[in-house]
Amino acid sequence: MSGMLLTQVGVLARRSILKTLRQPFQLFPIIFFPVILLAVNASGLKPATRLPGFPTTSYISFAIAVAFIQGGMFSLINTGTNLAEDIESGFFNRLALTPLRRVSLIAGLLVGVAMLGALQSGVYVLVALVAGAHLEAGLGGVGVILVLGAIASLGFGALGCAAALKTGSGEAVQGLFPLCFVFIFLSSSNLPRNLLQHGWFHTVATWNPISYLIEAFRGLYISGWDGTSLWRGFAVAAGLTAVGLLAVAGALGGRLQRT
């Protein structure tokens, strides 16, 4: 039984990955949008490295962390949109009527999301290397980045799946895009929290879980093996995944009842 489940999940994960890779309009924002935004921020905010207390002289090394979060958030939109398309076309309903295990319906999709999350994180590592960023954590840090990127993408992807299962609409899922970027802008994405002068902004950034995801990636580039930032980042990624999976479980039950 477990072998059959793994086979089902593997087939659906492969379909999920190929569906994304075969759609250039989905690949473009995942790879190029974070890179373009990185180039704009690095050129415009480079003088911030001269501020007392700024943790590095390389703004690229500081800002590259945001690309990993943006990639994860695009996983939410793309995964949710793909699932919503399957629901709208009736493909999901046909799958639900087959002998496929219930858990396979979403598990395969999310495994594919995690694998793509690791892949896109690897691309950002290469982009940062070409741009001149230095990874203090070395080769071992690359492995941590790939794992954290995969877990973060899994969490965001699960939230996208939950939205798709709840609404059955790709347009509704895409409507979450502005909300995602509000969370990035209200975090420590452009300046470290110790340099955020406005009291309300510092408070919001401190309570914003995205700040701790960003700081986990950033710490590997700037500080090396910073245990505090790493456990906080992994805790946020794991918590995001847990919330997403719980939301998926509830939404999937409601969707299958309507099938």
Side-chain angles (χ1 to χ4, degrees), residues 12 33 50 58 73 78 103-104 109 111 131 136 144 152 155 188 195 215 224 232:
L12 292 176
F33 186 83
R50 296 196 292 268
S58 169
M73 288 187 170
N78 290 342
V103 68
S104 302
L109 183 61
V111 168
E136 285 289 339
V144 174
S188 56
L195 294 181
E215 289 165 12
R232 286 176 176 174

Side-chain angles (χ1 to χ4, degrees), residues 34-124:
V35 172
I36 292 171
L37 194 58
L38 172 66
V40 171
N41 286 342
S43 61
L45 297 175
K46 186 177 180 179
T49 58
R50 296 196 292 268
L51 292 171
F54 200 86
T56 179
T57 58
S58 169
Y59 196 82
I60 287 287
S61 298
F62 178 85
I64 185 59
V66 182
F68 298 101
I69 308 304
Q70 290 171 342
M73 288 187 170
F74 276 114
S75 297
L76 184 156
I77 303 302
N78 290 342
T79 305
T81 300
N82 286 340
L83 180 56
E85 288 176 355
D86 286 342
I87 293 172
E88 291 173 331
S89 67
F91 180 76
F92 182 84
N93 289 345
R94 292 195 295 273
L95 276 182
L97 296 174
T98 68
L100 276 173
R101 295 282 296 277
R102 179 174 176 174
V103 68
S104 302
L105 293 172
I106 302 300
L109 183 61
L110 293 180
V111 168
V113 169
M115 294 176 68
L116 285 173
L119 177 62
Q120 70 194 28
S121 295
V123 172
Y124 300 145

Side-chain angles (χ1 to χ4, degrees), residues 192-248:
R193 281 183 292 137
N194 63 296
L195 294 181
L196 295 175
Q197 297 297 316
H198 292 286
W200 70 267
F201 198 100
H202 181 274
T203 300
V204 171
T206 299
W207 282 95
N208 186 350
I210 299 302
S211 292
Y212 300 102
L213 273 177
I214 290 174
E215 289 165 12
F217 286 109
R218 181 177 291 156
L220 291 166
Y221 275 92
I222 296 175
S223 308
W225 297 101
D226 184 344
T228 299
S229 65
L230 282 175
W231 81 256
R232 286 176 176 174
F234 273 98
V236 169
L240 179 68
T241 300
V243 170
L245 292 178
L246 287 173
V248 165

